[in-house]
DNA sequence: AACATTTTCAACCGCAGGAGT
DNA sequence: GACTCCTGCGGTTGAAAATGT
């Protein structure tokens, strides 16, 4: 038997009575209940004993991409989009790696975002989304626009803007670029420089010193864990820039299950003027 | 209102690689 | 070392929803 054949006969993946397609409410309940009693992992055992007629793989995917309680759904914020652009310029299509820097977002969601939004823009420009030209377009048009959105958002909520810690971590991490998927392209550096212009990194030690209860804490104390209980909050970036009244407002918003920020991602990032502007720029240089 | 087209995103697939035997 | 099983990753697909005509 060839290696390929061996790989394909993966235990639980054969069998005719396996269900496929969209999950039903009953299946979701079954899976959630099983995991709440037995924990995550050992997916093939789970598939076998939970009563689900699904493969372990399918169960894993459903849990990690949809059912897991701390998953953040909905449109990506400008900060998150910025982070994806930056990280993708460093690592390429390393979705799971990128997802590690976006707390509570799944690799599948990031991958979908890239394919449906970013690659769409590349198609409109008629250039390859992995090309230097496209990265230059991102740097010269998209990133400034996202930064502007961030500024706008921060101006309506606070007097001072600061970056998300996860983004800061990336910008500070001089080693990450060594792992780049396609670092023959030099745009990530210039993109980072743009970001640095906006973010005063010298202030970082104090930007994240306010906790939800209003007490002071170290920056490390208010990273990810603290905002994870507020789905409507844009991470430590917002934590650092808000007053107590804002926090109460957010708590209200959380209780109401609504979104605190305006839905900025509904704005098209590039309109036709932008595209023509870039085309002129790209083809004249 | 009806149909066509486009967009979104959940779910599938093949493959690679690690762990255990 | 060979084999098997399991998990996780990235690419792709297709149904449903949204939008346009």
């Amino acid at each position: 038997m060839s290696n390929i054949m061996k790989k394909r006969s993966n235990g639980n993946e054969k069998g005719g009575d396996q269900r496929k397609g969209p999950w039903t409410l009953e299946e979701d309940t079954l899976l959630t209940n099983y995991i709440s009693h037995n924990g995550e992992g050992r997916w093939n055992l789970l598939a076998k004993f939970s009563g689900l007629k699904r493969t372990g793989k399918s169960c894993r995917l459903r849990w990690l991409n949809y059912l897991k309680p701390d998953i953040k759904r909905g449109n990506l914020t400008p900060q998150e989009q910025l982070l994806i652009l930056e990280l993708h310029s460093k690592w390429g299509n390393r979705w799971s790696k990128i997802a590690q820097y976006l707390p509570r977002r799944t690799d599948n969601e990031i991958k979908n975002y890239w394919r449906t939004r970013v690659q769409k823009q590349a198609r409109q420009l008629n250039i390859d989304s992995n090309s230097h030209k496209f990265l230059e377009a991102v740097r010269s048009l998209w990133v400034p626009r996202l930064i502007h959105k961030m500024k706008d958002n921060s101006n309506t909520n606070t007097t001072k803007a600061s970056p998300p810690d996860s983004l800061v971590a990336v910008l500070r991490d001089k080693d990450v670029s060594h792992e780049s998927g396609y670092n023959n392209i030099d745009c990530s550096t210039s993109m980072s420089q743009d970001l640095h212009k906006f973010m005063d990194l010298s202030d970082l030690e104090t930007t994240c010193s306010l906790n939800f209860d209003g007490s002071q804490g170290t920056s490390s104390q208010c990273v990810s864990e603290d905002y994870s209980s507020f789905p409507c909050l844009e991470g430590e970036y917002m934590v650092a820039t808000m007053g107590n009244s804002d926090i109460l407002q957010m708590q209200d918003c959380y209780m109401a299950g609504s979104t605190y920020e305006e839905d900025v991602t509904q704005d098209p990032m590039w309109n036709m003027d932008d595209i023509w502007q870039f085309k002129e720029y790209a083809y004249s240089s």
Side-chain angles (χ1 to χ4, degrees):
Chain A
M1 193 190 274
S2 71
N3 278 340
I4 291 175
M5 292 303 286
K6 272 180 271 170
K7 295 269 186 191
R8 284 184 182 173
S9 59
N10 265 358
N12 70 335
E13 293 192 31
K14 57 188 174 187
D17 61 343
Q18 295 284 15
R19 263 187 56 78
K20 285 187 183 179
W23 281 63
T24 64
L25 192 60
E26 289 74 23
E27 288 177 311
D28 283 347
T29 308
L30 217 50
L31 180 57
T32 306
N33 286 343
Y34 186 93
I35 289 175
S36 70
H37 286 109
N38 302 284
E40 292 181 42
R42 293 176 298 176
W43 299 105
N44 286 331
L45 277 179
L46 181 155
K48 200 172 178 181
F49 295 113
S50 63
L52 287 160
K53 291 184 172 170
R54 296 273 184 176
T55 64
K57 245 181 175 180
S58 180
C59 295
R60 173 183 167 271
L61 209 63
R62 182 63 177 173
W63 176 254
L64 294 178
N65 285 344
Y66 197 85
L67 294 174
K68 202 172 178 179
D70 61 355
I71 288 173
K72 184 177 176 183
R73 318 294 297 274
N75 292 317
L76 292 160
T77 63
Q79 290 92 327
E80 288 172 322
Q81 293 177 55
L82 203 49
L83 196 48
I84 291 169
L85 293 174
E86 170 69 12
L87 293 176
H88 190 275
S89 75
K90 289 179 186 298
W91 296 324
N93 298 356
R94 303 276 302 276
W95 308 118
S96 61
K97 194 171 175 67
I98 293 171
Q100 288 170 7
Y101 285 83
L102 285 106
R104 300 156 61 215
R105 295 291 190 181
T106 68
D107 54 354
N108 211 31
E109 193 173 13
I110 293 166
K111 182 169 59 182
N112 280 333
Y113 166 75
W114 188 265
R115 288 188 62 80
T116 60
R117 314 284 172 81
V118 180
Q119 290 195 334
K120 189 178 106 183
Q121 304 289 355
R123 277 198 304 276
Q124 284 184 343
L125 292 168
N126 207 22
I127 50 181
D128 179 2
S129 63
N130 286 329
S131 67
H132 183 278
K133 244 180 193 176
F134 181 69
L135 286 177
E136 188 60 26
V138 167
R139 191 187 73 79
S140 58
L141 288 173
W142 201 330
V143 167
R145 186 158 298 198
L146 286 170
I147 289 173
H148 185 74
K149 287 282 182 193
M150 288 168 68
K151 277 182 177 172
D152 276 357
N153 288 350
S154 63
N155 284 341
T156 59
N157 291 311
T158 180
T159 55
K160 180 176 177 163
S162 61
D165 280 1
S166 47
L167 182 49
V168 170
V170 172
L171 295 175
R172 282 180 147 179
D173 185 358
K174 294 183 173 57
D175 293 329
V176 290
S177 61
H178 299 153
E179 301 175 47
S180 168
Y182 55 106
N183 253 353
N184 49 330
I185 297 168
D186 195 30
C187 273
S188 73
T189 308
S190 51
M191 204 184 290
S192 293
Q193 284 168 355
D194 283 350
L195 297 174
H196 277 282
K197 281 181 199 164
F198 167 59
M199 299 161 180
D200 182 359
L201 296 182
S202 65
D203 285 345
L204 285 175
E205 304 311 323
T206 55
T207 52
C208 198
S209 59
L210 179 64
N211 293 332
F212 270 119
D213 60 5
S215 66
Q216 298 293 309
T218 63
S219 64
S220 62
Q221 284 176 306
C222 59
V223 178
S224 58
E225 293 87 356
D226 281 339
Y227 72 86
S228 62
S229 51
F230 294 89
C232 58
L233 171 63
E234 187 36 48
E236 58 276 15
Y237 162 68
M238 298 299 283
V239 177
T241 58
M242 287 176 155
N244 285 344
S245 61
D246 296 319
I247 292 164
L248 290 172
Q249 194 183 345
M250 282 185 333
Q251 287 172 330
D252 288 345
C253 130
Y254 172 59
M255 298 305 281
S258 62
T259 304
Y260 184 72
E261 289 183 76
E262 64 167 328
D263 188 5
V264 293
T265 56
Q266 291 308 307
D267 294 344
M269 279 304 163
W270 298 350
N271 56 31
M272 288 313 290
D273 286 344
D274 292 329
I275 290 167
W276 282 110
Q277 182 194 332
F278 174 72
K279 278 183 171 168
E280 282 172 22
Y281 161 79
Y283 298 126
S284 67
S285 59

